[in-house]
Amino acid sequence: MKFKYIIIHYAEIALKGHNRRFFEDALKNNIEKALKREGIKFLLKKISGRFVVHLDEEEKDYEKIFNILKNVIGIAHFSYALRSDCKINKIKDTALFLLGEKNFNTFRLSAVRSDKKFPLTSQQVNEVVGEHVCTNLNKKVNLKNFDVEVVIEITAKNAFLYTEKFGCVRGLPVGVSGKVVSLISGGIDSPVSSFYAMKRGCNVVFVHFHSFPYTGIESQEKIKKIVQILNKFQFKSKIYFVPFADLQREIFVNTAGNFEKFRVVLYRRFMLRIAEKICGKENGQALITGDAIGQVASQTLENIMVINEACNIPVLRPLITFDKEEIISKAKEIGTYEISILPHCDTCTRYIPKHPATKANIEIVKKIEENLDVDKMIEDAMSNVEILEI
Ligand code: ATP
Ligand code: MG
């Protein structure tokens, strides 16, 4: 069947009171961007609390459109629909036409009126159209156990009818919540935490620390691929590649003997400090990491506290209470998993101690840092940053 219309319903933004308009415009903009980017020709209108996409005559690649819309954050669900005039006889005919090609025995109708001027109530519409379908197609209504449901959305000018709803990501449109800087490592977790930040309406800027040339270039290539995948949710991204090798060397020489177990915590403190600087440059409001309590030695609550102490802006950790399995399954769903598991040499495996501290002590860590020229180390790293837009 040829559908020329798509009805899009949005998630939470319906609840946003005075800001509703702002959220709706942001979502409208994002839907338009997503469809245009793939060359779809259409017209998009907001009609009483929903969006209606009017597809160009030649557009019929519904699967392609499905794959675009399912990733637009903020959409609750959408449907391919037929349009009818707002007259009950026309609605009856359209329902018949819509169901004509379908294989089913039982059905139900669910009319909703967003325009209360329509002369029949929703219930009356259900009854009248239901009877028409029963007589003409010889089918039965069953409100509980039905093979098909026909939704009839009655707006001021038109009615839209459809039988299938496709669920989407939900969340808030990317951009409405401001900007965050996400520390992305190429592992499984940080792409997922970046996705969750986007899902709450954040625009995400990425920062990756690498030890090139001491580790291969693969880690940076991997980050580019992951960010490319995440771009399906936020269109375009900026990545800061920060050289970390000199800084690590400096920490290494200052953490001989008993102090070597604090290296990872020290690396992380410097990562946060540099990310905070980048966040300032970007006018961002918070940092994002992929930490989950207890997942690895550096992520015990004690260590998180010591790491966090180095930074003065909020560090958000969307995965903090997630199990690894939950994170993996989300990574598969959003499409980053296959790339995350490719081998790469992590910065943090450089000069890694055999037994990293699981309970770092803030006093000792600060003492070690007294011997480091913290500001200069950060400045040096910052002055060699490479920025890439994808
Ligand atoms: P991931 O799967 O995200 O790599 P992980 O389980 O390997 O996480 P860690 O290596 O302890 O965990 O890193 C914790 C968090 O610190 C990461 O999720 C990421 O946000 C940040 N991080 C670690 N290494 C880097 C890096 N090289 N560049 C940027 N951020 C990093
Ligand atoms: Mg990692």
Side-chain angles (χ1 to χ4, degrees):
M1 182 163 301
K2 188 159 165 46
F3 294 101
K4 284 204 321 203
Y5 295 89
I6 306 170
I7 304 296
I8 299 178
H9 282 276
Y10 28 93
E12 257 173 88
I13 57 175
L15 309 171
K16 295 285 168 201
H18 291 318
N19 285 331
R20 182 174 169 145
R21 185 61 198 277
F22 167 69
F23 285 87
E24 285 172 337
D25 288 349
L27 180 56
K28 181 165 185 266
N29 208 347
N30 288 353
I31 295 170
E32 284 174 341
K33 258 199 260 176
L35 289 170
K36 274 186 194 151
R37 164 164 81 170
E38 299 296 330
I40 307 291
K41 297 203 184 75
F42 65 96
L43 229 123
L44 175 62
K45 277 197 185 145
K46 192 175 85 191
I47 301 179
S48 17
R50 60 176 76 61
F51 292 115
V52 178
V53 179
H54 184 171
L55 291 173
D56 212 77
E57 203 51 49
E58 75 220 37
E59 294 296 352
K60 42 185 167 292
D61 192 342
Y62 299 119
E63 192 170 330
K64 179 173 172 189
I65 296 169
F66 167 82
N67 283 319
I68 300 168
L69 291 181
K70 75 168 201 244
N71 294 324
V72 178
I73 296 174
I75 297 181
H77 55 87
F78 69 91
S79 300
Y80 294 112
L82 295 179
R83 188 180 76 168
S84 143
D85 286 347
C86 253
K87 305 216 170 65
I88 192 66
N89 282 338
K90 296 280 185 198
I91 295 175
K92 278 157 81 175
D93 290 346
T94 310
L96 219 53
F97 182 67
L98 182 63
L99 288 172
E101 284 181 10
K102 284 209 181 292
N103 208 342
F104 69 103
N105 292 313
T106 55
F107 73 103
R108 68 171 281 166
L109 293 162
S110 302
V112 278
R113 290 183 311 163
S114 50
D115 186 57
K116 305 290 182 207
K117 284 196 223 85
F118 191 76
L120 304 180
T121 64
S122 302
Q123 187 46 36
Q124 285 167 332
V125 172
N126 290 340
E127 284 164 15
V128 176
V129 178
E131 198 184 307
H132 190 66
V133 172
C134 289
T135 346
N136 284 278
L137 298 179
N138 194 21
K139 306 286 180 190
K140 285 204 173 62
V141 172
N142 191 328
L143 297 184
K144 282 219 178 91
N145 296 310
F146 48 87
D147 301 329
V148 228
E149 175 180 32
V150 181
V151 179
I152 306 173
E153 297 192 11
I154 300 173
T155 67
K157 287 203 183 113
N158 295 106
F160 296 92
L161 289 82
Y162 57 85
T163 55
E164 256 180 296
K165 277 185 198 175
F166 303 104
C168 301
V169 189
R170 309 186 80 92
L172 301 175
V174 171
V176 298
S177 302
K179 204 186 260 183
V180 294
V181 170
S182 177
L183 287 84
I184 188 158
S185 68
I188 297 167
D189 307 326
S190 40
V192 177
S193 58
S194 307
F195 163 75
Y196 276 116
M198 291 174 191
K199 191 175 171 214
R200 293 314 295 166
C202 298
N203 209 274
V204 177
V205 171
F206 297 92
V207 47
H208 175 67
F209 300 89
H210 64 84
S211 311
F212 188 77
Y214 304 96
T215 57
I217 195 78
E218 325 81 72
S219 84
Q220 290 171 73
E221 294 306 320
K222 230 177 134 172
I223 298 300
K224 288 182 204 167
K225 283 191 190 138
I226 289 173
V227 169
Q228 215 134 33
I229 291 172
L230 291 171
N231 264 358
K232 68 187 177 197
F233 304 109
Q234 78 162 7
F235 312 109
K236 61 176 197 245
S237 301
K238 202 190 240 187
I239 314 173
Y240 284 76
F241 288 105
V242 185
F244 210 57
D246 292 346
L247 201 150
Q248 278 180 308
R249 164 114 211 122
E250 192 76 17
I251 292 174
F252 174 74
V253 297
N254 281 283
T255 48
N258 239 348
F259 288 155
E260 69 163 32
K261 61 173 184 259
F262 297 118
R263 262 174 222 157
V264 177
V265 166
L266 285 158
Y267 294 165
R268 288 275 187 277
R269 281 169 65 89
F270 276 89
M271 284 186 186
L272 286 192
R273 287 182 176 118
I274 293 169
E276 180 177 352
K277 279 257 181 314
I278 292 172
C279 193
K281 266 178 58 158
E282 286 286 335
N283 283 321
Q285 282 121 352
L287 304 182
I288 305 284
T289 75
D291 295 310
I293 301 173
Q295 198 194 80
V296 291
S298 61
Q299 298 174 21
T300 60
L301 278 182
E302 289 86 351
N303 284 352
I304 288 175
M305 195 166 88
V306 173
I307 293 165
N308 212 62
E309 199 269 346
C311 172
N312 297 306
I313 55 173
V315 181
L316 311 179
R317 299 177 171 86
L319 308 182
I320 196 70
T321 59
F322 280 42
D323 296 343
K324 195 75 190 185
E325 288 79 54
E326 293 173 277
I327 300 170
I328 288 175
S329 107
K330 199 68 195 178
K332 286 180 178 163
E333 198 184 309
I334 63 175
T336 53
Y337 180 77
E338 295 304 325
I339 297 177
S340 288
I341 55 172
L342 296 174
H344 76 283
C345 190
D346 197 342
T347 0
C348 291
T349 51
R350 225 177 143 234
Y351 307 129
I352 198 120
K354 272 197 212 76
H355 302 289
T358 51
K359 292 184 183 186
N361 176 309
I362 186 76
E363 303 309 328
I364 301 176
V365 168
K366 281 185 168 173
K367 209 102 224 121
I368 300 170
E369 284 182 353
E370 275 172 21
N371 293 324
L372 301 171
D373 192 344
V374 174
D375 291 340
K376 175 148 191 319
M377 287 162 76
I378 294 173
E379 236 168 75
D380 286 349
M382 283 298 285
S383 61
N384 290 306
V385 157
E386 281 173 70
I387 301 174
L388 184 75
E389 310 237 10
I390 292 189

